[in-house]
């Protein structure tokens, strides 16, 4: 399917949903999906308006809060993104995705200890949520807590052995722990899986392996 056809399909879906919403303004589900499709089509202001209307109609609409929060995060408005995810948690405290999102926002703000707390809560709620383990790895790496970073990365790889990001994060965590050969093995696996690795990291790891071989 060509890109033009995809855009045409999106336009058709948008037109259908707009008709439904116009005829039945109380149809919250249709308006929610309209907001998602607007976002997919790059019509961000309209996506925001649609999702905000859903939340206005139903203050329990967690999915709309989460998706609207993602839009504001992408726009750099972390205050609004944080507020929306906190509202979602007020509705459902065990919503692991919202805890991960709050962790990501905190990490983006360099509030790394708070980010770790949010990711930890997420994996306690859903131990199989790989995004939480991946983000927890990077947060621990930022805090130079290398053992915990490796443990989190290994959890992610156990859940999804073919996750390129999990393999790359494990390689980075192992590097900082000084386990360079294992780091190289996981980095090579990440590359095999299509991950675009940081060439500076490749050079740094190569240097450490050369030093180790020379001893």
């Amino acid at each position: 399917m060509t890109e033009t056809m995809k855009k045409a399909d999106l336009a058709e879906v948008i037109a259908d949903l707009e008709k439904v919403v116009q005829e039945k303004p109380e149809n919250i589900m249709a308006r929610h999906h309209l907001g998602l499709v607007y976002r997919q089509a790059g019509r961000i202001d309209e996506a925001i308006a649609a999702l905000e209307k859903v939340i206005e109609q139903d203050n329990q609409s967690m999915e709309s809060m989460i998706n609207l929060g993602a839009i504001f995060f992408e726009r750099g408005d972390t205050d609004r993104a944080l507020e929306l995810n906190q509202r979602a948690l007020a509705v459902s405290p065990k919503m692991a995705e919202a805890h991960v999102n709050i962790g990501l926002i905190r990490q983006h703000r360099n509030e790394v200890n708070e980010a770790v707390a949010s990711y930890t809560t997420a994996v306690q709620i859903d131990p199989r949520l790989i995004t939480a383990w991946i983000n927890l790895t990077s947060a621990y790496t930022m805090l130079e807590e290398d053992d915990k970073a490796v443990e989190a990365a290994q959890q992610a790889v156990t859940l999804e052995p073919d996750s390129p990001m999990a393999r790359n994060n494990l390689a980075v965590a192992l590097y900082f722990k000084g386990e360079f050969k294992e780091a190289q093995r996981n980095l090579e696996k990440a590359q095999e899986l299509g991950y675009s690795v940081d060439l500076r990291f490749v050079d740094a790891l190569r240097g450490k392996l050369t030093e180790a071989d020379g001893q």
Side-chain angles (χ1 to χ4, degrees):
M1 182 180 291
T2 66
E3 188 65 25
T4 302
M5 288 175 69
K6 288 180 181 178
K7 288 180 179 178
D9 289 343
L10 278 176
E12 184 176 344
V13 171
I14 287 171
D16 289 343
L17 287 170
E18 286 177 335
K19 183 179 179 182
V20 172
V21 169
Q22 185 176 12
E23 292 176 352
K24 296 182 178 180
E26 74 283 2
N27 191 328
I28 293 173
M29 187 61 69
R31 195 183 298 276
H32 171 79
H33 286 298
L34 179 58
L36 300 187
V37 180
Y38 275 146
R39 182 185 179 193
Q40 188 178 354
R43 295 166 61 173
I44 304 302
D45 288 339
E46 290 165 292
I48 290 172
L51 294 172
E52 284 181 336
K53 184 64 177 177
V54 172
I55 297 167
E56 178 186 321
Q57 290 177 286
D58 178 7
N59 61 11
Q60 304 291 300
S61 298
M62 297 175 296
E63 290 299 327
S64 291
M65 293 171 192
I66 291 292
N67 282 282
L68 186 56
I71 292 173
F72 280 113
F73 181 75
E74 289 168 0
R75 283 193 158 188
D77 189 345
T78 57
D79 288 339
R80 188 81 171 98
L82 181 61
E83 175 204 344
L84 285 157
N85 280 280
Q86 288 172 333
R87 287 181 65 183
L89 283 183
V91 177
S92 178
K94 292 190 177 295
M95 190 176 191
E97 183 184 354
H99 285 288
V100 172
N101 291 344
I102 288 173
L104 189 60
I105 293 164
R106 297 293 192 193
Q107 191 171 349
H108 183 76
R109 291 177 166 187
N110 207 32
E111 300 167 359
V112 188
N113 285 305
E114 292 84 349
V116 166
S118 291
Y119 296 142
T120 300
T121 300
V123 297
Q124 289 170 345
I125 294 168
D126 184 359
R128 299 192 62 78
L129 188 58
I130 187 171
T131 53
W133 289 112
I134 287 174
N135 291 350
L136 190 54
T137 302
S138 64
Y140 277 134
T141 298
M142 290 174 71
L143 292 172
E144 299 182 358
E145 296 189 29
D146 301 325
D147 288 340
K148 290 181 178 179
V150 170
E151 289 173 8
Q154 287 172 334
Q155 287 284 355
V157 169
T158 298
L159 287 170
E160 290 190 25
D162 291 335
S163 166
M165 184 175 292
R167 287 286 181 177
N168 180 76
N169 281 14
L170 179 55
V172 172
L174 288 165
Y175 171 88
F176 284 113
K177 195 177 177 183
E179 299 181 15
F180 304 121
K181 289 186 178 178
E182 271 300 293
Q184 182 185 39
R185 185 179 71 81
N186 281 280
L187 186 64
E188 288 173 350
K189 182 64 175 178
Q191 289 176 302
E192 288 173 14
L193 293 167
Y195 193 83
S196 182
V197 301
D198 187 334
L199 295 180
R200 293 170 297 179
F201 176 54
V202 174
D203 289 341
L205 179 56
R206 186 180 295 121
K208 292 293 185 181
L209 288 166
T210 301
E211 286 177 17
D213 288 342
Q215 291 177 355

